[in-house]
């Protein structure tokens, strides 16, 4: 989606078409000739994995929608109908419900990789913010999708989350009523959530196109965090190099995905969601899906509802400001020894919040959740701004090729052969 | 390369650890159901802390024919379980599954004639009016859902005080807290503990330990359960010589209910094995292809 295309159509038809709509050239320059840094590790395969997961969710979702009934009295039974009577309905549903979890697993790997290697820093701020928007849309889509089976956790999860909006002063109550289409979560809520759950993935796809476009303008970051200086020495062509690596990464990822779908399909779901929604009976514990737990813990750590909601949303919104909160000129944690320690501490804080989000509220729980929530915000608001000013970073390699050479010292590092040139063929 | 090797080593170590974790793969190897007191359990597994004041022990882990990588349903057991359901549970609980599924060859495997005869013993009200505008009653057909004992949950609640839950997803809808770190091992190959609901229901059916209070249950949260002790020894006749004890009834009916909530389990695990083998071979081939191609770039 950038750069001049090196694609030269060979056939007369190809030439005729290319001069009218240069789409083959666009694809060629984006996914064949596109130079990728030669030092990318397997964490960079999650971009391709995420694209695959989005497509997989849309395909399975569209088919499920052919059999699902978005009606409060029928939704639960229609899901059981899919599980029992539709040919391979159980497979489609397990692929879709576990697919959501795998999608989030991949997106967290992708986001934490971005933080570790400083991928949000100039000139990739817009690329990063587009990513945060995709993440937000994903959370909204997943939340609404979880409501559709109309089990107990669907219903009460929807009640808790939509009630958050009622905390907004003055207009909160009206907003909640407007979201519900009534005075509580009910049939109109289910209908609009189904409609939006069908719509949002296509909006995600749209932002993904922008995300990839922005990526291809500024180029990929890499584990050493130094820009490409010499395309021939520092990069390899997207195809076959990155393509093959991505496909291998995807295949390994699919093994994990298949494990969940075929052997532990209900492991990540809540047992309560196999009970039909009952507005008169609150479950003993209302828990969101695992991927939202850290934010749920932050919400519950704060006694005031409005402040809790503000903390919840700012915990997500802060991500968008990372490019400016992190003041260090060095991107990669490889060359930032102190940042690296804080990074892993931050990962531990997120995991800890996630665990707390699934637990019952006790005094010890509230205390732990408050401490971890403070750590979460401190990472963004205190550690990152100060670290850039105080940390002594390690010397950066002069180029990507030098970094690769230094690592494979003794081996045959044949960086002089620039596959980028070959790719022009 | 080195990093990949480290990951491989770490995951191998993790898998090895999982294999030796309590209640490991040994649980998968006995398809025939042993009596309750012989049931395998995570002996070294501590009871997770429960809320103060309402101490109830965690259910013990049972050995089920349908657990593990190659788990399947035991047809004779499901047929016995169906009998327990039919003679006991069905007096209060509905089970909203079609009669025809009872002939599922990987499930109870009743013959089509048996299912037809069974369906005909029920009276079903048509959901559409006939040509006289009446909702006719007729004998059930295999395509009908098994009618419940009450027309709706409200009628059941009026008669029994509380509406008994429908049993079509009952076992999947029950759980007990596994706690950290056990819940992680539960997801891993060889341990793969996905029968928490079955173990919980089995424990509850065996948990009526106070003879003077039939609504007291050892395993039910808070101990006060609305369902009075449903099973007693010798209540249901078995024709195949299986012991007619509460523990055996509980084991059989829970297996039947597990099938009712997850009728595609056998097909799922069979397809799963093919998919896993395919993906592992594919990954290996892709890895060597990738390595070969990248040799030129290094």
């Amino acid at each position: 989606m950038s750069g001049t295309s090196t694609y030269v159509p060979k056939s007369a038809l190809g030439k005729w078409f290319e001069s009218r709509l240069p789409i083959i050239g666009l694809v060629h320059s984006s996914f064949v000739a596109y130079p990728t840094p030669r030092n990318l590790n397997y964490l960079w395969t999650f971009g391709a994995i995420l694209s695959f997961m989005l497509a997989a969710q849309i395909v399975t979702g569209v088919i499920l929608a052919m059999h699902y009934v978005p009606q409060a009295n029928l939704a639960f039974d229609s899901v059981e109908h899919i599980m029992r009577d539709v040919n391979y309905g159980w497979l489609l549903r397990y692929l879709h419900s576990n697919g959501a979890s795998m999608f989030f697993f991949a997106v967290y790997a992708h986001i934490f990789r971005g933080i570790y290697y400083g991928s949000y820093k100039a000139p990739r701020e817009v690329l990063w913010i587009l990513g945060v928007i995709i993440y937000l849309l994903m959370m909204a889509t997943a939340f609404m999708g979880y409501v559709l089976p109309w089990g107990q956790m669907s219903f009460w999860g929807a009640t808790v989350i939509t009630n958050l909006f009622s905390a907004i002063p003055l207009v909160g109550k009206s907003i909640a009523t407007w979201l519900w289409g009534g005075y509580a979560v009910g049939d109109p809520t289910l209908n609009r959530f189904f409609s939006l759950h069908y719509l949002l993935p296509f909006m995600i796809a749209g932002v993904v196109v922008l995300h990839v476009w922005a990526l291809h303008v500024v180029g990929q970051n890499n584990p050493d965090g130094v820009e490409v200086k010499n395309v021939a020495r520092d990069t390899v062509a997207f195809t076959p190099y990155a393509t093959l690596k991505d496909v291998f990464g995807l295949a390994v990822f699919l093994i994990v995905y298949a494990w969940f779908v075929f052997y532990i399909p209900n492991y990540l779901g809540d047992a309560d969601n196999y009970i039909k929604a009952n507005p008169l009976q609150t479950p003993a514990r209302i828990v969101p899906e695992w991927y939202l737990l850290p934010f749920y813990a932050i919400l519950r750590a704060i006694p005031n509802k409005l402040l809790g909601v503000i903390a919840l949303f700012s915990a997500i919104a802060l991500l968008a400001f990372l490019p400016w909160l992190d003041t260090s000129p060095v991107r990669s944690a490889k060359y930032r020894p102190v940042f690296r320690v804080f990074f892993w501490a931050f990962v531990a804080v997120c995991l800890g919040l996630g665990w707390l989000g699934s637990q019952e509220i006790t005094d010890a729980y509230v205390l732990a959740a408050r401490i971890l929530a403070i750590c979460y915000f401190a990472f963004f608001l205190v550690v990152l701004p100060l670290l850039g000013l105080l940390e002594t970073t390690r010397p950066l390699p002069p180029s990507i090729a030098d970094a690769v050479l230094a690592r494979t010292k003794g081996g045959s590092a044949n960086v002089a052969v620039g596959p980028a040139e070959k790719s022009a063929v | 390369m080195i990093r990949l090797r480290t990951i491989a080593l770490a995951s191998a170590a993790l898998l090895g650890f999982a294999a030796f974790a309590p209640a490991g793969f040994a649980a998968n190897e006995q398809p025939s159901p042993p009596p309750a007191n012989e049931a395998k359990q995570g002996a070294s597994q501590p009871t997770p802390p429960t809320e103060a004041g309402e101490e109830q022990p965690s259910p013990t882990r049972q050995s089920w024919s349908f657990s593990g990588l190659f788990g399947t349903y035991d047809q004779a057991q499901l047929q016995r379980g169906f009998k327990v359901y039919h003679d006991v549970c069905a007096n209060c609980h509905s089970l909203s599954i079609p009669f025809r599924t009872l002939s599922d060859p990987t499930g109870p495997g009743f013959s089509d004639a048996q299912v037809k005869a069974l369906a005909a013993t029920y009276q079903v009200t048509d959901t559409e009016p006939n040509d006289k505008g009446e909702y006719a009653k007729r004998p059930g057909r295999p395509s009908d859902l098994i009618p419940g004992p009450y027309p709706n949950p409200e009628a059941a609640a009026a008669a029994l005080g509380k509406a008994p839950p429908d049993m079509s997803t009952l076992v999947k809808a029950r759980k007990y807290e596994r706690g950290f770190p056990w819940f992680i091992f539960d997801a891993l190959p060889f341990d793969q503990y996905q029968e928490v609901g079955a173990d919980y229901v089995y424990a509850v059916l065996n948990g009526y330990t106070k003879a003077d209070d039939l609504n007291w249950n050892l395993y039910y949260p808070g101990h006060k359960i609305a369902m009075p002790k449903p099973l007693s020894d010798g209540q249901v006749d078995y024709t195949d010589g299986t012991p007619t004890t509460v523990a055996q009834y509980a084991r059989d009916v829970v297996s039947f209910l597990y099938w009712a909530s997850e009728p595609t389990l056998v097909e799922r695990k069979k397809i799963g094995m093919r998919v896993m083998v395919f993906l592992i071979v594919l990954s290996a081939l892709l890895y060597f292809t990738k390595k070969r191609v990248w040799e030129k770039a290094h």
Side-chain angles (χ1 to χ4, degrees):
Chain A
M1 296 188 187
S2 76
T4 45
S5 173
T6 53
Y7 172 71
V8 184
K10 289 185 192 83
S11 67
L13 180 67
K15 280 183 191 126
W16 180 87
F17 189 78
E18 192 69 7
S19 61
R20 282 156 181 82
L21 182 68
I23 194 165
I24 302 173
L26 178 74
V27 170
H28 186 273
S29 67
S30 304
F31 301 106
V32 180
Y34 181 70
T36 64
R38 63 192 308 128
N39 57 341
L40 299 185
N41 59 33
Y42 276 101
L43 287 170
W44 263 263
T45 61
F46 280 102
I49 289 170
L50 284 161
S51 312
F52 174 86
M53 285 314 301
L54 177 61
Q57 288 300 85
I58 289 177
V59 170
T60 53
V62 166
I63 301 171
L64 286 170
M66 295 175 189
H67 302 280
Y68 170 77
V69 185
Q71 214 271 2
N73 290 326
L74 303 172
F76 186 88
D77 293 333
S78 78
V79 172
E80 277 306 306
H81 159 72
I82 290 170
M83 293 294 287
R84 291 162 194 277
D85 303 331
V86 175
N87 289 335
Y88 297 103
W90 58 271
L91 179 59
L92 286 167
R93 174 163 178 254
Y94 281 154
L95 280 171
H96 196 72
S97 61
N98 286 290
S101 282
M102 298 310 290
F103 203 166
F104 272 95
F105 173 75
V107 92
Y108 283 128
H110 197 64
I111 292 172
F112 279 113
R113 187 271 286 154
I115 296 176
Y116 188 83
Y117 294 111
S119 297
Y120 43 79
K121 290 181 193 181
R124 298 185 179 82
E125 301 95 324
V126 172
L127 171 63
W128 174 262
I129 290 169
L130 287 167
V132 175
I133 292 170
I134 293 171
Y135 175 49
L136 260 175
L137 287 172
M138 275 177 67
M139 288 199 283
T141 310
F143 159 67
M144 292 187 201
Y146 193 61
V147 175
L148 301 187
W150 211 241
Q152 273 288 70
M153 220 36 100
S154 301
F155 180 89
W156 290 98
T159 302
V160 168
I161 301 298
T162 50
N163 252 316
L164 294 181
F165 293 93
S166 69
I168 302 168
L170 300 175
V171 292
K173 280 266 180 286
S174 310
I175 290 179
T177 310
W178 178 71
L179 283 174
W180 291 326
Y183 294 101
V185 173
D187 197 41
T189 326
L190 177 60
N191 273 291
R192 60 194 56 190
F193 277 20
F194 177 60
S195 174
L196 292 172
H197 183 70
Y198 208 121
L199 168 70
L200 289 185
F202 296 98
M203 293 177 65
I204 293 177
V207 186
V208 166
V209 170
L210 295 181
H211 191 66
V212 175
W213 186 5
L215 173 74
H216 285 224
V217 171
V218 294
Q220 282 161 296
N221 185 33
N222 61 79
D224 289 291
V226 290
E227 288 294 315
V228 171
K229 282 168 189 135
N230 179 334
V231 171
R233 288 185 79 232
D234 292 345
T235 70
V236 290
F238 193 94
T239 303
Y241 295 96
T243 322
L244 261 176
K245 204 167 178 173
D246 284 348
V247 172
F248 170 62
L250 176 63
V252 173
F253 185 81
L254 287 181
I255 294 175
V256 181
Y257 185 13
W259 172 255
F260 275 91
V261 168
F262 292 103
Y263 293 101
I264 53 172
N266 292 307
Y267 174 75
L268 294 166
D270 198 294
D272 275 2
N273 227 27
Y274 278 109
I275 304 171
K276 208 183 273 192
N278 181 353
L280 301 176
Q281 191 185 24
T282 318
R285 206 187 298 170
I286 302 172
V287 189
E289 289 285 80
W290 68 270
Y291 37 81
L292 303 176
L293 285 173
F295 303 112
Y296 191 55
I298 289 175
L299 170 76
R300 294 200 301 178
I302 294 162
N304 180 295
K305 189 174 169 185
L306 179 60
L307 290 177
V309 173
I310 291 171
L312 166 75
F313 283 108
S314 46
I316 304 165
L318 268 181
L319 281 171
F321 296 95
L322 258 184
W324 298 278
L325 289 169
D326 185 347
T327 50
S328 174
V330 176
R331 290 200 188 104
S332 173
K334 245 182 179 172
Y335 305 101
R336 299 185 63 190
V338 185
F339 170 74
R340 197 156 60 198
V341 175
F342 278 106
F343 170 83
W344 288 112
F346 177 65
V347 172
V349 165
C350 292
L351 291 175
L353 281 170
W355 164 249
L356 288 171
S358 70
Q359 296 304 298
E360 217 140 344
I361 301 185
T362 60
D363 287 348
Y365 162 88
V366 172
L367 181 69
R370 281 182 192 163
I371 292 172
L372 289 186
I374 289 168
C375 293
Y376 181 95
F377 285 106
F379 177 76
F380 289 101
L381 299 175
V382 181
V383 174
L384 285 182
L386 286 183
L387 216 50
L389 309 173
L390 303 175
E391 187 180 29
T392 317
T393 55
R394 297 218 188 102
L396 290 174
S399 74
I400 292 172
D402 288 302
V404 174
L405 263 177
R407 234 165 297 137
T408 53
K409 211 181 284 173
S412 56
N414 186 15
V415 285
V417 179
E421 289 142 294
K422 284 192 283 180
S423 70
V425 180
Chain B
M1 239 354 265
I2 293 168
R3 194 167 303 129
L4 198 72
R5 210 168 293 146
T6 324
I7 293 170
L9 275 175
S11 41
L14 202 67
L15 291 182
F17 184 46
F20 290 103
F25 59 86
N28 296 331
E29 280 159 13
Q30 281 193 345
S32 62
N37 47 0
E38 276 178 37
K40 243 177 230 100
Q41 38 206 277
S44 59
Q45 213 164 291
T47 308
T50 51
E51 307 97 284
E54 23 180 280
E55 283 293 310
Q56 70 266 338
S58 276
T60 43
R61 186 169 179 178
Q62 307 295 322
S63 164
W64 301 103
S65 71
F66 43 82
S67 69
L69 286 178
F70 303 99
T72 54
Y73 292 113
D74 175 343
Q75 191 169 306
Q77 181 173 44
L78 295 199
Q79 295 200 357
R80 290 196 303 271
F82 172 75
K83 195 156 199 280
V84 176
Y85 150 75
H86 182 265
D87 294 0
V88 184
C89 316
N91 290 319
C92 302
H93 289 271
S94 59
L95 177 69
S96 304
I97 61 170
F99 285 107
R100 62 177 162 76
T101 58
L102 292 169
S103 63
D104 171 6
T106 64
F110 289 110
S111 70
D112 289 344
Q114 281 174 305
V115 172
K116 217 171 164 183
L118 175 80
T121 62
Y122 288 80
Q123 283 294 305
V124 177
T125 311
D126 269 329
T127 50
E128 297 291 321
N130 63 13
D131 52 5
K132 295 194 189 73
E134 290 155 352
Y135 292 89
K137 280 207 167 213
R138 55 165 176 80
R141 290 192 284 254
S143 57
D144 290 321
L145 291 179
I146 302 177
Y150 297 96
N152 50 56
E154 287 73 13
L160 301 168
K162 200 176 170 191
D166 183 84
M167 302 213 292
S168 59
T169 52
L170 184 82
V171 178
K172 280 206 280 192
R174 295 293 180 276
K175 65 176 174 199
Y176 66 92
E177 284 305 317
R178 293 280 290 156
F180 182 78
W182 307 112
F183 81 91
I184 295 171
F185 297 128
D186 291 350
L188 298 178
F190 303 111
D191 192 17
Q192 206 195 325
Y193 182 25
Q194 300 304 303
E195 293 79 31
V196 277
D199 287 344
Y200 171 79
V201 177
Y202 177 82
V204 165
L205 288 173
N206 284 295
Y208 292 90
T209 48
K210 281 193 180 167
D212 57 336
D213 185 354
L214 295 180
N215 289 85
W216 192 92
N217 195 295
L218 180 62
Y219 295 100
Y220 192 79
H223 297 306
K224 287 305 276 182
I225 184 165
M227 173 175 74
K229 189 176 190 304
L231 296 168
S232 48
D233 289 346
Q235 192 177 359
V236 180
D237 286 332
Y238 279 165
T239 50
D240 60 354
T242 311
T244 53
T245 59
V246 169
Q248 188 62 43
Y249 291 151
R251 179 167 292 281
D252 293 345
V253 80
V254 167
S255 299
F256 172 72
L257 291 177
Y258 201 95
W259 165 79
S261 72
E262 197 68 14
T264 53
L265 173 140
V266 176
E267 189 189 12
R268 166 158 65 78
K269 291 189 176 179
K270 206 168 112 192
I271 297 177
M273 190 47 69
R274 292 180 195 155
V275 171
M276 293 307 263
V277 169
F278 171 80
L279 284 175
I280 289 168
V281 172
L282 176 72
S283 301
L285 292 176
L286 282 171
Y287 174 70
F288 291 115
T289 312
K290 180 253 161 197
K291 213 175 144 191
R292 182 77 165 271
V293 168
W294 274 79
E295 264 164 13
K296 287 180 247 161
H298 281 303

